[in-house]
Amino acid sequence: MRVVDTSAWIEFLVGSALGVSLATELPDRSQWVVPTMVQLELAKWLTREVGEDKADRVIAFTETCVVADLDTQIALAAADLCARHKLATADAIVYATALAHQADLLTCDRHFEDLPGVRLFPKSGG
């Protein structure tokens, strides 16, 4: 199982050089865990950057994957991760979701660097 963080989604969707290399890391839909927090972040970014139609299509795709709701267990785990690793709330929710689903996390966000189960593909210069 794999969670794809919003940062990796965006790189893939814009077709950056990093996004092209990430394409080979994207899981099969049956193995792709999509936290509802990632759906929120994607909808927000896509609507702002490329319009509501594209946002609707991407969110529709996410719904064909394994959607992971934010529940009490994940929320409490995320709170602990915020404290222990100084993660922002959204990042902690995404990471807690990966841990709860025994999934690795594919990301371009250096905030996750050195955490277990993270496959980091950092942006150059970031």
Side-chain angles (χ1 to χ4, degrees):
M1 301 293 280
R2 175 163 289 168
V3 170
V4 179
D5 183 41
T6 308
S7 61
W9 270 97
I10 291 172
E11 291 299 320
F12 174 72
L13 290 170
V14 300
S16 70
L18 180 55
V20 170
S21 66
L22 285 170
T24 61
E25 299 291 325
L26 299 177
D28 181 72
R29 291 179 196 190
S30 67
Q31 297 295 307
W32 193 328
V33 179
V34 182
T36 51
M37 178 59 69
V38 169
Q39 287 179 313
L40 180 153
E41 291 178 324
L42 281 174
K44 180 179 166 185
W45 183 86
L46 286 161
T47 300
R48 182 183 66 236
E49 297 297 325
V50 296
E52 200 168 318
D53 287 343
K54 177 74 171 187
D56 289 346
R57 287 193 302 275
V58 172
I59 297 306
F61 172 83
T62 68
E63 291 178 319
T64 68
C65 301
V66 179
V67 176
D69 294 330
L70 174 57
D71 61 17
T72 302
Q73 174 190 350
I74 292 172
L76 295 176
D80 181 58
L81 291 166
C82 284
R84 281 194 293 136
H85 299 291
K86 300 192 184 335
L87 293 173
T89 299
D91 289 341
I93 290 168
V94 170
Y95 188 53
T97 301
L99 295 175
H101 288 267
Q102 299 177 335
D104 63 11
L105 175 64
L106 179 66
T107 186
C108 302
D109 186 344
R110 288 187 189 272
H111 292 105
F112 295 108
E113 194 166 26
D114 299 325
L115 292 177
V118 172
R119 296 193 38 81
L120 176 64
F121 288 75
K123 295 179 189 180
S124 58

